[in-house]
Amino acid sequence: MLLAALLLMQGAATVPPPPSAPVCRRDERSGGVAFVIRGPDRECRRFRAPRSYEGAWIDEFEGSQFVEGARSYDEARRRMASDPTVYWLDIDAKSDIARAVPRRSGTAYHIRLIAREMLPEPQRSPFSLPGFGHMGMWHRSLLVDAVQSAEVIRAAPE
């Protein structure tokens, strides 16, 4: 009996603690203003199933516009944010985009990728921005899983 208890205690001592779940939403206040801090998108958001996308990606400072089906920079720029083919392109450490794309702010690419469309949050603070991306200005967002190909279609201005 004592031996069984010792073995149980030894086993319990070697079991790693469960991984901690990310904090996905935290309501904060600063200077009388309420805002929401969101956790990492990949772990905290809901998505549609991954699929292949092809189009133009304009990578800019405080901007990451992807336009499905666009073949040129000018075509991508002509589409309005409300157009259902326009997305904020979300990239995180697991996206592995640096391997395929030599990123430089202001550059546009014709890109093929595997990505998932983010679904809107079911619960928002009255002060949350309604959209995605920088300042919540985008109606839709894609999280990149893998880049299949990328070609520069407009180099960043010098």
Side-chain angles (χ1 to χ4, degrees), residues 5-104:
L6 286 172
L7 288 172
L8 282 174
M9 286 174 34
Q10 180 184 8
T14 60
V15 173
S20 60
V23 175
C24 290
R25 178 189 172 88
R26 194 171 76 233
D27 293 314
E28 294 281 332
R29 291 188 80 74
S30 177
V33 176
F35 58 95
V36 175
I37 296 176
R38 294 183 178 106
D41 288 335
R42 193 171 293 272
E43 289 83 19
C44 295
R45 294 286 193 127
R46 296 174 310 124
F47 299 90
R48 296 191 193 288
R51 72 172 180 88
S52 180
Y53 291 84
E54 182 173 353
W57 172 40
I58 304 170
D59 187 15
E60 298 176 302
F61 176 71
E62 298 181 347
S64 184
Q65 177 176 310
F66 174 77
V67 180
E68 187 174 17
R71 304 283 308 169
S72 71
Y73 173 85
D74 291 334
E75 180 184 356
R77 278 290 187 225
R78 282 192 299 269
R79 304 227 188 136
M80 302 296 289
S82 59
D83 185 309
T85 64
V86 176
Y87 298 87
W88 170 266
L89 196 65
D90 193 19
I91 299 164
D92 66 8
K94 294 181 181 177
S95 296
D96 193 28
I97 204 162
R99 175 187 53 75
V101 180
R103 293 183 70 183
R104 183 162 175 231

Side-chain angles (χ1 to χ4, degrees), residues 1 46 148 153:
M1 184 72 107
R46 296 174 310 124
Q148 297 172 313
I153 56 177

Side-chain angles (χ1 to χ4, degrees), residues 95-118:
S95 296
D96 193 28
I97 204 162
R99 175 187 53 75
V101 180
R103 293 183 70 183
R104 183 162 175 231
S105 183
T107 301
Y109 307 87
H110 181 260
I111 191 166
R112 286 183 41 238
L113 47 88
I114 304 297
R116 302 179 252 174
E117 184 177 354
M118 283 187 210

